[in-house]
Amino acid sequence: MGYLLGIDAGSTNYKAIACDKTGRFLASARRPANTKYHENGWAETSPELIWEGVAACIAEIAAQLPGETCDGVAVASSGEDVLLDGAVQSVYPAIRWFDTRTEAIASAWEPFGREHIYRITGINPNPVASITKMQWIKRYVPEAWGRARLWIPIAGFISLKLTGTARAPWTNACRSMAFDLTRRDWSTEILAEAGIDRSMLADPIRPGEQIGTLTPAAAAATGLKEGAPVFAGGVDYACGTFATGIIRPGQMLDSTGTSEQLLAILDAPESSAASMEKNFTSVAYVVNDAYYIMGMIVASGGIFEWFKNTFACASFDQLVGEASLEPIGARGCMMLPYFSGRHTMGSDPAARGAFVGLTRATTRGTFVRAILEGLCYEMHSIVQAMQELSGQSVESIYAIGGAAKSTFWMQMKADVTGIPVRSKDVPEAAALGAAMLAGLGAGVYASPEEAVARVRFAEREYVPDEARHAQYMELYETLNRALYPALREFNAAVTRAQGTNETK
């Protein structure tokens, strides 16, 4: 019996899973990601340690399945890149995506034309974009840059270590802010502006296409058989979306953890000025040569953790249980969820969280009900904007992550948005999505549609209640939408005042 191997090289852990064609897990392994955090807020890791951790995961899988054949391998990774010399050794640590040392470099792209960059790449200039990390190394560590011969995404780096062939999966390349979405190739215009030679970049490749086969050295390091086929994977959240079964326009993913990502499939990139101003990302997807549009609530489940820890509260389930006893509208209490700034619907780092409408009758359950409603209103505003900008209706929302276990929260998401919500428990979604891409490349699945038909997980559907939806929309239109504009200048002033005080 053959198996598919999916790897998820994330920022916290490296994971590998082996599954059969129905997605049933046969073996799994994980290792810590060895991220080094510096006092100045920087975060880095060694590319060699990335490979060491991933190779150890694969070796553990191989040991659990002795004598079995690996039909295909693919890699999902976070949106980070590495710089290598001619001997495929790193010249500088991999800078983690959330390391914001490049904020000034990202801002320096403004004169080039933010709207022009967005039309080409589908993202706004920002410090997460890996081209800003490369520019930082070039500027501040010139001796390392002088030795560099290859700039490649982490997913491509692991595949390079497996096969000896350098390729950059489309979805990972998109996170660079140097990838032309229309041509599906590196943008010569953006690279020229950054002063980076095209020859340094790995050639782009469609997710699911074969990169090569396992080399003797990689076979010795991993325990897999020499010659096992390796296929292009993708960026972790896109692979996880595929594993959830989302492959066509009209379907949306809602992934809620510490933050909340909302991702909808499109036939073409949404690169309008309006989309840019609302700070949506719209880039290549992993199957069907499709695209997606993505928005984010930076603090979502993280607000619950803050509330629970700060006020020494009970468990998540007990808090939600108390909230369920409160009426719609939380007795006039409302919350803005910008506890870590505002990302989508117009980036505003100075935005702050807020509770308003408090009285002496406000209870703990009232607070929690306001948190849930505030997050759902923010979700609704993002979903509504996605539909308006793309011209495509969202027919269903597939919810994964910790929130998907709460029936009350899921029903509220459906009632507020007016769209059916389906909760799914998809284990190790990014690694599983990578394994499914390997299955497409290996011919285990004839199409993405066949892949999601075979890899299925139990789901529960939450149908919107029309009366509750009408109540929520009245509150949203008359009260909630006015909160952010009313507090924007106040929050900006607080940020300025704090900055002044911190310099004294």
Side-chain angles (χ1 to χ4, degrees):
M1 178 187 67
Y3 64 87
L4 300 170
L5 179 60
I7 298 160
D8 175 14
S11 301
T12 305
N13 291 293
Y14 306 132
K15 308 168 190 175
I17 63 101
C19 64
D20 64 16
K21 62 186 178 183
T22 68
R24 181 173 65 92
F25 282 22
L26 306 173
S28 63
R30 71 169 56 203
R31 295 290 187 280
N34 302 112
T35 297
K36 184 176 182 180
Y37 296 92
H38 301 273
E39 291 183 3
N40 58 1
W42 293 3
E44 303 171 332
T45 192
S46 159
E48 282 70 32
L49 288 178
I50 295 174
W51 167 241
E52 181 181 306
V54 168
C57 287
I58 299 173
E60 187 175 332
I61 294 286
Q64 293 179 60
L65 300 171
E68 302 294 345
T69 300
C70 178
D71 292 332
V73 183
V75 183
S77 77
S78 49
E80 300 150 339
D81 295 12
V82 300
L83 269 180
L84 307 173
D85 63 17
V88 197
Q89 297 297 308
S90 64
V91 300
Y92 194 80
I95 303 174
R96 289 300 190 189
W97 67 268
F98 47 83
D99 182 318
T100 58
R101 73 182 73 174
T102 59
E103 284 184 354
I105 291 175
S107 297
W109 278 93
E110 291 289 337
F112 182 78
R114 188 159 63 101
E115 190 170 345
H116 186 50
I117 291 170
Y118 193 83
R119 281 198 302 269
I120 296 171
T121 69
I123 62 175
N124 275 311
N126 69 88
V128 173
S130 57
I131 195 171
T132 67
K133 318 289 192 190
M134 299 303 114
Q135 290 179 282
W136 187 92
I137 296 171
K138 182 181 179 185
R139 180 181 301 177
Y140 296 108
V141 199
E143 66 278 9
W145 185 262
R147 292 185 288 116
R149 296 294 178 271
L150 180 65
W151 164 19
I152 190 168
I154 285 177
F157 167 67
I158 296 169
S159 297
L160 170 62
K161 297 291 285 187
L162 291 170
T163 67
T165 301
R167 293 290 184 271
W170 285 351
T171 57
N172 299 84
C174 286
R175 296 306 306 154
S176 68
M177 203 188 82
F179 192 71
D180 188 316
L181 292 175
T182 303
R183 296 173 50 245
R184 295 187 187 262
D185 199 356
W186 301 110
S187 168
T188 54
E189 188 178 0
I190 289 175
L191 290 176
E193 178 68 17
I196 298 174
D197 195 283
R198 167 67 175 81
S199 64
M200 287 187 63
L201 284 86
D203 287 339
I205 186 171
R206 175 185 280 106
E209 288 192 352
Q210 186 166 350
I211 293 174
T213 58
L214 215 68
T215 65
T222 63
L224 295 180
K225 294 178 182 177
E226 179 184 344
V230 178
F231 303 91
V235 76
D236 48 12
Y237 50 79
C239 288
T241 303
F242 179 36
T244 307
I246 297 175
I247 57 175
R248 61 177 177 79
Q251 295 178 317
M252 172 177 281
L253 178 78
D254 174 31
S255 177
T256 306
T258 301
S259 61
E260 185 169 353
Q261 288 79 36
L262 292 149
L263 186 157
I265 307 301
L266 304 176
D267 290 321
E270 169 46 50
S271 55
S272 67
S275 183
M276 177 194 71
E277 291 300 332
K278 292 185 183 299
N279 203 29
F280 283 110
T281 294
S282 184
V283 293
Y285 190 46
V286 290
V287 294
N288 291 335
D289 287 1
Y291 298 83
Y292 65 86
I293 184 171
M294 186 176 75
M296 180 168 63
I297 305 172
V298 183
S300 183
I303 297 176
F304 275 99
E305 286 302 307
W306 163 81
F307 188 83
K308 183 163 66 72
N309 295 336
T310 302
F311 300 104
C313 292
S315 68
F316 171 84
D317 290 339
Q318 184 174 340
L319 290 174
V320 173
E322 292 177 9
S324 70
L325 301 177
E326 297 293 316
I328 288 176
R331 305 183 191 277
C333 181
M334 283 194 170
M335 182 218 61
L336 279 183
Y338 307 131
F339 283 56
S340 299
R342 189 183 198 223
H343 180 79
T344 306
M345 302 304 292
S347 178
D348 182 3
R352 293 169 180 247
F355 286 95
V356 301
L358 308 184
T359 71
R360 293 177 65 183
T362 301
T363 66
R364 185 169 73 177
T366 310
F367 273 113
V368 178
R369 176 94 194 198
I371 290 173
L372 290 169
E373 291 185 352
L375 289 169
C376 287
Y377 286 139
E378 188 72 5
M379 174 187 177
H380 171 72
S381 69
I382 292 173
V383 173
Q384 190 177 50
M386 283 181 169
Q387 293 183 109
E388 291 172 356
L389 289 166
S390 68
Q392 295 181 347
S393 297
V394 174
E395 302 164 1
S396 57
I397 299 172
Y398 289 79
I400 62 173
K405 297 178 174 63
S406 170
T407 58
F408 181 72
W409 196 355
M410 290 300 99
Q411 185 61 55
M412 185 184 288
K413 285 175 183 273
D415 291 341
V416 172
T417 62
I419 300 170
V421 172
R422 296 182 173 92
S423 65
K424 278 192 170 186
D425 185 11
V426 183
E428 303 298 356
L432 178 59
M436 292 167 67
L437 287 172
L440 282 174
V444 173
Y445 312 117
S447 65
E449 290 72 20
E450 182 182 337
V452 299
R454 289 194 180 190
V455 181
R456 300 181 66 87
F457 296 91
E459 64 180 58
R460 178 173 179 176
E461 184 174 30
Y462 300 86
V463 179
D465 179 277
E466 291 185 10
R468 289 196 294 265
H469 177 64
Q471 281 184 272
Y472 281 123
M473 287 302 95
E474 182 178 0
L475 291 168
Y476 173 75
E477 294 292 345
T478 59
L479 297 174
N480 181 267
R481 291 185 68 177
L483 277 182
Y484 171 71
L487 293 174
R488 184 173 184 176
E489 287 305 316
F490 170 80
N491 288 330
V494 169
T495 299
R496 289 193 297 269
Q498 285 191 319
T500 301
N501 290 336
E502 288 171 0
T503 61
K504 293 181 179 179

